[in-house]
Amino acid sequence: FMIIIPAIDIKDGRCVRLRQGRMDDETIFSEDPVAVAARWVDEGAKRIHLVDLDGALDGAPRNFDIVKEIAANHPNIPIQIGGGIRDEDTVQNYLNAGVQYVIIGTRAITAPHVVKDLCLEFPGHIIVGLDAKDGKVAVDGWSKLSHHDVIDMAQHFESDGVASIVFTDISRDGMMQGVNVESTVELAASIRIPVIASGGVTDRGDIERLCATDEEGIVGIVVGRALYEGTIDLAEAQSIANCQQAG
């Protein structure tokens, strides 16, 4: 069934949200990401999505201690982390810290062989994050559009052995404009591994639309700004997902 996954984006040690990935367009929601994680777990989160924004910029982890503390506090909740993960050592360090999944983003596109190596080394723990606009993959914090087709890349990573794909429509992320259901369903239908939807989830209508699709491959929805601005209630969203999937 489909789970609602709260997103915690960490920048300078704080919990923030960006609009369309722009580092200069941030809203600070909390000075304490560890407390934010505890809040979402208290409200029933079954998985947490963390992003090290400073790490994404620098190409190496910058908020590792915060991530480690969140994982240590919630050993029974799977944590997935993205941002600045470029090599085996970083993956190993995160897994040692109690993180369940690491998300490879830009590096998956610029050096695809790395994904295959990581999947062999850490089977079941590697997720690829595909950020797309108009069916093409974006890289480097969304500053560049590549010529790669999203579905081609997803099929390639599926054969490499990734656990799932986090798919973000970047034209909508952080803009509170609604999720791109059509693109997400199209991607999920083209691969056998699970897809986690992300980007633009604004209100319960988005949850309902995603859950109403017959595409069984969509297993989760990452929700960020909408949770922090209160346009989605986590417990309510999860119960909508449960009911629709059961029905």
Side-chain angles (χ1 to χ4, degrees):
F1 77 121
M2 204 177 293
I3 58 171
I4 311 300
I5 308 172
I8 302 174
D9 290 6
I10 307 166
K11 181 170 182 272
D12 303 326
R14 302 173 169 131
C15 170
V16 307
R17 292 302 288 168
L18 307 182
R19 288 185 192 274
Q20 293 193 308
R22 288 198 297 271
M23 283 291 203
D24 58 351
D25 191 351
E26 69 174 66
T27 310
I28 297 170
F29 285 108
S30 170
E31 298 286 336
D32 187 355
V34 176
V36 173
R39 174 189 163 188
W40 297 138
V41 172
D42 287 345
E43 291 188 20
K46 300 197 171 43
R47 189 189 279 207
I48 302 280
H49 178 88
L50 300 179
V51 182
D52 179 353
L53 290 171
D54 304 301
L57 207 59
D58 293 349
R62 289 292 175 260
N63 292 283
F64 182 82
D65 291 344
I66 293 173
V67 175
K68 185 175 180 177
E69 191 175 347
I70 291 172
N73 289 351
H74 310 287
N76 301 321
I77 303 289
I79 307 280
Q80 57 190 48
I81 171 83
I85 299 166
R86 303 280 193 269
D87 56 40
E88 289 187 7
D89 287 349
T90 304
V91 175
Q92 187 70 66
N93 290 339
Y94 274 130
L95 296 181
N96 289 348
V99 170
Q100 185 70 28
Y101 302 103
V102 294
I103 303 169
I104 313 296
T106 294
R107 190 107 171 98
I109 309 304
T110 57
H113 64 276
V114 170
V115 173
K116 190 165 197 167
D117 294 344
L118 290 174
C119 288
L120 288 168
E121 185 81 21
F122 309 104
H125 294 287
I126 305 300
I127 294 175
V128 165
L130 289 179
D131 304 324
K133 189 174 181 183
D134 306 324
K136 299 294 181 196
V137 177
V139 293
D140 289 337
W142 306 347
S143 55
K144 300 195 201 72
L145 267 189
S146 73
H147 57 276
H148 295 294
D149 179 81
V150 169
I151 287 175
D152 287 349
M153 293 304 286
Q155 290 170 339
H156 176 84
F157 293 129
E158 175 179 44
S159 66
D160 285 341
V162 304
S164 57
I165 300 283
V166 174
F167 174 68
T168 307
D169 183 316
I170 63 174
S171 58
R172 304 190 185 214
D173 187 76
M175 302 303 285
M176 304 285 281
Q177 287 177 345
V179 72
N180 190 332
V181 175
E182 300 74 22
S183 303
T184 308
V185 168
E186 186 186 3
L187 176 66
S190 71
I191 54 178
R192 290 180 302 280
I193 53 173
V195 170
I196 296 169
S198 166
V201 180
T202 307
D203 56 31
R204 57 178 295 160
D206 285 321
I207 307 289
E208 287 165 355
R209 278 197 297 282
L210 270 170
C211 291
T213 67
D214 288 334
E215 183 46 63
E216 290 172 2
I218 305 171
V219 298
I221 308 170
V222 174
V223 186
R225 185 176 287 271
L227 283 174
Y228 295 97
E229 296 193 351
T231 59
I232 285 182
D233 173 81
L234 179 58
E236 181 193 23
Q238 187 61 64
S239 71
I240 290 169
N242 294 351
C243 291
Q244 285 206 260
Q245 303 261 286

